[in-house]
């Protein structure tokens, strides 16, 4: 009898679920901390995430990326002088032209709600994502985590009050074989490694 009741009354299922749960249906859903949400969404998008506690671990992880992909003695597109000096000991040829093996850069923010990387003209000048190499290595810190794109844009505006950077974009599609949907139309797929340094 109860089997037929459940089949004929699907509302009963949700009512039972509310009765059995610890909270009422009006209680706000529990959300994961911002770092866990970013990690989950970033991995779901196909990104490769390397968490490091200090610069020694960053350099070791970078070395492993080069080894895994056989990127030693290759051209690297990098526009940040701090990064070229920081990663100088790896026998790489740093160039300012986009026809390189991979793109080494920092970013503006790491967006937790969709696992994307927020970039602007400080990192990519006036280039579009499809003009950049297919492989990215992004260096970021945990203090760059934001809830959503709006918060990331507010941070850009507050840091650059006199001159707001142009060419602001996000990248969140990191799997070449992932099936595209309407929302990802026009986006550029990148093979992306994130070197995340703990700085909080």
């Amino acid at each position: 009898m109860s089997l037929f009741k459940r089949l004929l009354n699907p509302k009963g299922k949700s009512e039972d679920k509310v009765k059995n749960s610890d909270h009422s249906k009006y209680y706000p859903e529990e959300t994961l901390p911002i770092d866990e949400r970013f990690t989950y969404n970033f991995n779901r998008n196909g990104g490769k995430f390397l968490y490091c506690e200090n610069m020694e671990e960053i350099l070791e992880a970078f070395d492993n990326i080069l080894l895994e992909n056989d990127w030693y003695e290759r051209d690297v597109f990098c526009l940040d002088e701090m990064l070229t000096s920081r990663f100088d000991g790896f026998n790489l040829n740093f160039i300012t032209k986009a026809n390189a093996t991979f793109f080494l850069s920092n970013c503006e923010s790491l967006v937790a709600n969709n696992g994307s990387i927020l970039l602007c003209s400080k990192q990519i000048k006036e280039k579009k994502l499809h003009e950049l190499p297919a492989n990215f290595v992004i260096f970021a810190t945990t203090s760059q985590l934001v809830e959503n794109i709006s918060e990331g844009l507010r941070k850009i505006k507050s840091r650059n009050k006199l001159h707001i950077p142009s060419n602001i974009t996000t990248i969140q599609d990191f799997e070449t074989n992932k099936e595209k949907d309407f929302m990802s139309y026009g986006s550029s797929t990148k093979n992306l490694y994130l070197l995340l340094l703990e700085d909080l």
Side-chain angles (χ1 to χ4, degrees):
M1 179 74 177
S2 63
L3 173 66
F4 292 112
K5 190 176 178 182
R6 274 188 263 138
L7 289 173
L8 297 173
N9 185 13
K11 287 184 179 178
K13 283 183 180 179
S14 61
E15 288 169 7
D16 290 344
K17 202 179 272 186
V18 170
K19 285 177 188 172
N20 293 336
S21 69
D22 294 339
H23 306 292
S24 78
K25 64 180 178 179
Y26 302 108
Y27 191 80
E29 288 185 28
E30 292 182 23
T31 57
L32 291 171
I34 189 170
D35 54 344
E36 289 181 35
R37 239 175 320 130
F38 173 77
T39 305
Y40 172 77
N41 289 325
F42 181 77
N43 287 334
R44 192 184 64 191
N45 292 340
K48 298 164 189 82
F49 181 86
L50 300 154
Y51 173 80
C52 304
E53 292 184 353
N54 52 49
M55 269 313 292
E56 290 76 29
E57 288 183 13
I58 289 283
L59 295 173
E60 184 181 338
F62 185 70
D63 191 36
N64 289 334
I65 292 169
L66 297 179
L67 188 64
E68 177 185 327
N69 295 286
D70 193 23
W71 287 346
Y72 290 107
E73 300 178 4
R74 299 288 176 95
D75 289 342
V76 182
F77 178 51
C78 184
L79 301 171
D80 188 330
E81 289 181 14
M82 187 223 27
L83 288 178
T84 56
S85 62
R86 185 169 278 177
F87 295 102
D88 190 35
F90 291 96
N91 201 17
L92 297 168
N93 182 27
F94 293 99
I95 61 172
T96 55
K97 293 179 182 174
N99 58 341
T101 304
F102 68 96
F103 175 52
L104 176 64
S105 179
N106 54 19
C107 66
E108 290 297 318
S109 295
L110 307 170
V111 183
N113 72 345
N114 63 2
S116 66
I117 309 286
L118 186 64
L119 303 168
C120 74
S121 56
K122 285 184 171 180
Q123 290 85 33
I124 59 175
K125 299 296 183 200
E126 298 308 316
K127 296 198 176 297
K128 302 297 177 208
L129 288 177
H130 70 272
E131 298 173 333
L132 297 171
N135 303 301
F136 276 41
V137 177
I138 299 291
F139 173 72
T141 59
T142 51
S143 61
Q144 291 176 284
L145 284 164
V146 294
E147 289 284 342
N148 51 44
I149 293 172
S150 298
E151 189 180 333
L153 294 173
R154 278 195 299 274
K155 276 190 160 188
I156 290 174
K157 190 175 179 182
S158 68
R159 281 193 299 251
N160 306 282
K161 290 180 180 174
L162 298 174
H163 180 68
I164 296 175
S166 60
N167 201 14
I168 298 170
T169 188
T170 60
I171 178 170
Q172 73 177 60
D173 190 5
F174 314 122
E175 275 185 329
T176 52
N177 57 357
K178 195 166 86 170
E179 192 174 307
K180 298 274 188 180
D181 61 3
F182 175 73
M183 295 302 287
S184 62
Y185 178 76
S187 66
S188 223
T189 303
K190 301 296 180 184
N191 174 33
L192 193 139
Y193 292 88
L194 176 64
L195 296 170
L196 186 65
L197 177 64
E198 173 65 62
D199 70 339
L200 293 175

